[in-house]
Amino acid sequence: MTTATTAPGQAAPLVRVRGLTKSYGAIRALRGVDVSFRRGEIHGLVGANGAGKSTLIRCLAGLERPDAGDILVDGEIAHVHGPDDAARLGLAFIHQELNLVSSFTGAQNIMLGSHRGSMVTPRRFSGVPRAVLDAARRVGIDFPLDIPVSELTVHQQWLVTIARALVEDRALIAMDEPTASLDAQEAATLLKVARELAASGVAVVFISHRLDEVTAVCDRVTAFKDGSISLALPRAEITREAVVRAIVGHDVTPGAGATAFEVTEHPRVVLRLQDVGRGRSVREVSLTLHEGEVVGIAGLVGSGRTELARLIFGADRPDRGTMLLDGKPYRPRSIPHAIARGVAYVPEERRSEALFLTHSVEDNLHITVWDRWRMSKLLPLIRPRASRAAANHTCRTLGIKTADARRPVMSLSGGNQQKVVMGRWLATNPKILILDEPTRGVDVGARADIYDRIREANRSGSAVLVISSEFEELLECNRVLVMAEGRIVGELTGGEITVPNMLHLCYA
Amino acid sequence: MEGTIEKATKPSAEPGAAPGKAQRMLVLSGRYGTPAVLVLLLIGFTAASPQAFMTGQNLLNILNQSATLAIVAGGLTLPLVAGKFDLSFAAVVSLSGILAVGFLERSGLPWFAAVLLALAAASIIGLVNGLLVAYLRINPIVATLGTSTMLLGVNYAYSNGTPITLAPGPFTDIARASVLGIPAPIILTAIVLGGLWVALNFTLLGHHMQAVGTNQVAARMAGVRVARITVIAFAICALCAGLAGVVLAARIGSGQVTAGDGYLLNAFAAVFLGASVLRDGDFHILGTVVGVLIVTVTFNGLSLLGAQSYVQFLFQGGILVAATALSSTSRGMLLASVRH
Ligand SMILES: Nc1ncnc2c1ncn2[C@@H]1O[C@H](COP(=O)(O)OP(=O)(O)OP(=O)(O)O)[C@@H](O)[C@H]1O
Ligand SMILES: [Mg+2]
């Protein structure tokens, strides 16, 4: 692999965006954006949720037609009317949400993006071609690629999506929050791949809300605010503080709220698990959860954290061990049963597991609590106005950016969609709130908001279990359990809660 | 899953948000294209046969003719909202007619008992459909095709393949009675459709049904009892078909194996026509009503004009394609126009 000799910043831009404007009805997603992407450079895009980053990427990919402005590739105006045009121009994309054909195998999905040959060029539909294997090895895929992706975990599906963008040589690769669904190890691998790509002369566009990644790999950072560019930082000026200020307008320090989670003197035990297990994914897990406590579960993806959460939530049934909720035996037969006992679970993949994309924000917020707006005990009718007012109120308190709670949830940006799912479960006033990657795709400012909400739920007595692959986020917990291969391999309290300690236990 | 309905997840255009004149026209033709077709049909038939079509008597006639189809199509809307196809309702229409008449004539039951038993039988078919789909996880198309075929066998067995006729009496009065000059079937239809509309839009059941149809996994994770909702949707659909079968048998004065056959295509045509009314491709009751009216007005108008039945089929199929195409293309143009 040869390093590009031109110093970043001096080369003529590969892709230049000029005055790009895009509105969705009254919402102005992009207001005349000018930005250039150069060969051999990793260009970070940051900004609050709904700032317009993904819209820019979708315009480049031909998924959206801009209202005004040009896209220039190698100095010439390019007409990108569809993903095939983008592919012909040598642009590859990893979009923010999963887009796989679920009945196809991993290999078939990866090849789907490859446009070599004509419509009728014979190509193998079975097996795993060489090119696919190479791309797969590069992103660290260690699972079979010849089974339908519907049988893979969400997280494995992400690796397939990433491999798809790498399977052909492209001049530019744009990654919209590629690391949001990866664990620490895989994110590191991906960052390494990004660096290699840049070194071989590819222009890399990198969007992330994980600022440590942005500061670590980017050669240039552009910050978006309400559809315009608010700040452009060259390599030398990229610091965490500068980036945070560009996004939220003020400083936010990680772990600042750590002391805010207070535990009362003699907390009551809410949930006790004794040697709970299911198959080989969860093995003999024992834990206790106290009232008003925030417990983090760290671990690599595949360590059984989601599987454990699903057992507590009644989505799967344990085949051994006992659970006690409020001191009484707890054997959830179904999810509604678990909800009735006061358990709430925010799943990790919002689009497939939580949201009704074409439905309104209101419907999405209230799916678990419709009964609250029932006219009377006898009359099972819902009062639409009361429900709407409540939904608009929730949008304001949670900072969900939308014109009206009647808008379809798919018109919200990714981070705002995440807040809708949070709002749904906070509304149930749960005794136990399980959050699986609660801040995936959420900007730094909103992340602080979400933690405020968690703290609030906490103060009103909820016990919170946070699963996160972003260990920095777990610094705010009272205790952190580390899982590996289905077992709890360690517990950290107080001053022991540090990112290196968590990593150490994960790999031990 | 095959046999279930995938909804397009394209962003819906917001009227009022982008107030261009041309855009507003597109919004209007997208949302109101199908109702506009209905209005055009009414105007066209009035012009073609001014004496016969636009008379109070004929309009009442149209409503009366559309009553059974409206009840069937209203019921069918529910499984479709929940994302599942039901192909068995036409056989249920025939079954309940045959049973009701059979219980009256052969078993000598009083008319209300015969009706109730027929409705109970219909509901049980729906429950079976629902159980097959929700618990045995059979593809809905396959499951209901299977029950439908079996029902055909049952219908033949019970009726020996010949219509069971009956003399006019309290049973046939179901179709002939009227209140304040409004025929009873119309009143019954209004009650049923009103009930379905309220249930779908203003109850937990309705909201959950829509959730199941949009994203079944997310519905389950949100605590929706997906299996139960599915069973209820199929059961209501079959109950409506049973009710329509009773009204139909009362009207024609007999129970016949083929009585319900015509409803299969007509009800699907009506519901899909309706899906493009007002909303973007979602199934809903008001839309279904418009769809039913389009289907019935077409038949009524063409037969007043003395058109042969092949003309009627060509015309109706054409309208189904044209009306849905109108609303989906104008929505497409609208999305494109928002882009520049
Ligand atoms: N299909 C759509 N219809 C209507 N509005 C939309 C649509 N897509 C995006 N928007 C709006 O455009 C704005 C920009 O959204 P975009 O997805 O680009 O944000 P983002 O910067 O990627 O945010 P995030 O970090 O949350 O992913 C948001 O206000 C969003 O609500
Ligand atoms: Mg985005």
Side-chain angles (χ1 to χ4, degrees), chain A residues 22-25 27-30 46-58 64 96-97 176-177 207 209 224 227 350 401-402 407-417 441-443, chain B residues 10-12 14:
Chain A
K22 170 80 195 169
S23 301
Y24 297 100
I27 295 176
R28 297 174 64 195
L30 292 176
V46 298
N49 294 129
K53 307 177 295 293
S54 301
T55 307
L56 173 65
I57 298 301
R58 284 204 302 271
E64 299 280 2
Q96 191 173 1
E97 311 289 351
D176 195 348
E177 302 190 30
I207 301 181
H209 288 294
F224 280 67
R350 55 177 175 262
K401 193 179 158 192
T402 176
R407 309 222 4 148
V409 82
M410 88 192 141
S411 72
L412 305 191
S413 75
N416 283 302
Q417 293 180 3
V442 172
D443 71 55
Chain B
K10 57 183 176 189
S12 67
E14 288 293 305

Side-chain angles (χ1 to χ4, degrees), chain B residues 125-259:
Chain B
I125 308 297
L127 284 178
V128 170
N129 282 333
L131 295 174
L132 292 177
V133 171
Y135 292 100
L136 297 186
R137 291 166 206 276
I138 303 178
N139 177 316
I141 290 183
V142 179
T144 56
L145 192 62
T147 48
S148 173
T149 312
M150 291 196 291
L151 283 182
L152 203 59
V154 171
N155 290 349
Y156 270 108
Y158 188 78
S159 68
N160 297 321
T162 49
I164 311 175
T165 51
L166 82 172
F171 180 74
T172 52
D173 283 347
I174 297 176
R176 312 239 149 85
S178 62
V179 181
L180 302 174
I182 304 171
I186 298 182
I187 297 173
L188 186 65
T189 307
I191 294 174
V192 170
L193 289 178
L196 290 176
W197 181 73
V198 169
L200 265 182
N201 292 295
F202 299 100
T203 68
L204 188 82
L205 176 72
H207 287 298
H208 281 186
M209 216 173 265
Q210 297 185 28
V212 170
T214 309
N215 185 344
Q216 187 157 322
V217 176
R220 179 172 122 83
M221 294 303 278
V224 173
R225 296 175 191 272
V226 174
R228 188 178 297 183
I229 298 283
T230 306
V231 172
I232 293 175
F234 277 105
I236 295 180
C237 176
L239 177 61
C240 288
L243 192 60
V246 168
V247 175
L248 183 67
R251 180 181 291 157
I252 60 180
S254 69
Q256 304 182 11
V257 175
T258 55

Side-chain angles (χ1 to χ4, degrees), chain B residues 23-330:
Chain B
Q23 280 180 17
R24 213 172 315 154
M25 284 305 296
L26 287 170
V27 172
L28 290 182
S29 56
R31 298 197 162 190
Y32 302 105
T34 322
V37 166
L38 177 59
V39 172
L40 286 180
L41 282 174
L42 290 174
I43 294 174
F45 285 127
T46 312
S49 56
Q51 264 89 56
F53 185 77
M54 199 43 93
T55 61
Q57 188 51 49
N58 189 48
L59 291 183
L60 211 55
N61 229 346
I62 290 178
L63 287 183
N64 207 1
Q65 282 170 355
S66 60
T68 42
L69 178 59
I71 296 177
V72 173
L76 174 62
T77 308
L78 267 62
L80 289 178
V81 162
K84 313 282 189 289
F85 274 96
D86 184 347
L87 297 182
S88 70
F89 60 88
V92 175
V93 172
S94 309
L95 172 82
S96 88
I98 292 174
L99 287 185
V101 175
F103 290 146
L104 265 173
E105 284 293 296
R106 295 195 183 161
S107 318
L109 293 179
W111 71 272
F112 54 87
V115 168
L116 281 183
L117 282 177
L119 293 183
S123 312
I124 289 172
I125 308 297
L127 284 178
V128 170
N129 282 333
L131 295 174
L132 292 177
V133 171
Y135 292 100
L136 297 186
R137 291 166 206 276
I138 303 178
N139 177 316
I141 290 183
V142 179
T144 56
L145 192 62
T147 48
S148 173
T149 312
M150 291 196 291
L151 283 182
L152 203 59
V154 171
N155 290 349
Y156 270 108
Y158 188 78
S159 68
N160 297 321
T162 49
I164 311 175
T165 51
L166 82 172
F171 180 74
T172 52
D173 283 347
I174 297 176
R176 312 239 149 85
S178 62
V179 181
L180 302 174
I182 304 171
I186 298 182
I187 297 173
L188 186 65
T189 307
I191 294 174
V192 170
L193 289 178
L196 290 176
W197 181 73
V198 169
L200 265 182
N201 292 295
F202 299 100
T203 68
L204 188 82
L205 176 72
H207 287 298
H208 281 186
M209 216 173 265
Q210 297 185 28
V212 170
T214 309
N215 185 344
Q216 187 157 322
V217 176
R220 179 172 122 83
M221 294 303 278
V224 173
R225 296 175 191 272
V226 174
R228 188 178 297 183
I229 298 283
T230 306
V231 172
I232 293 175
F234 277 105
I236 295 180
C237 176
L239 177 61
C240 288
L243 192 60
V246 168
V247 175
L248 183 67
R251 180 181 291 157
I252 60 180
S254 69
Q256 304 182 11
V257 175
T258 55
D261 291 1
Y263 289 95
L264 187 60
L265 290 181
N266 281 339
F268 270 111
V271 179
F272 276 91
L273 273 171
S276 54
V277 178
L278 301 172
R279 297 204 214 157
D280 300 335
D282 288 340
F283 301 101
H284 60 132
I285 296 292
L286 288 181
T288 298
V289 171
V290 174
V292 167
L293 287 177
I294 288 179
V295 171
T296 334
V297 164
T298 311
F299 267 101
N300 175 281
L302 287 178
S303 53
L304 281 184
L305 292 176
Q308 288 186 305
S309 51
Y310 79 87
V311 178
Q312 302 203 347
F313 287 118
L314 287 177
F315 202 79
Q316 199 198 330
I319 284 190
L320 176 61
V321 175
T324 35
L326 171 70
S327 49
S328 65
T329 48
S330 53

Side-chain angles (χ1 to χ4, degrees), chain A residues 13 15 35 66 69 121 123 129 160 207 217 252 271 309 320 325 356 379 407 426:
Chain A
V15 172
V35 62
T121 308
R123 59 194 231 180
V160 170
I207 301 181
V217 298
V252 176
L271 180 73
R320 47 195 191 267
L325 182 64
F356 307 100
L379 205 58
R407 309 222 4 148
L426 287 175

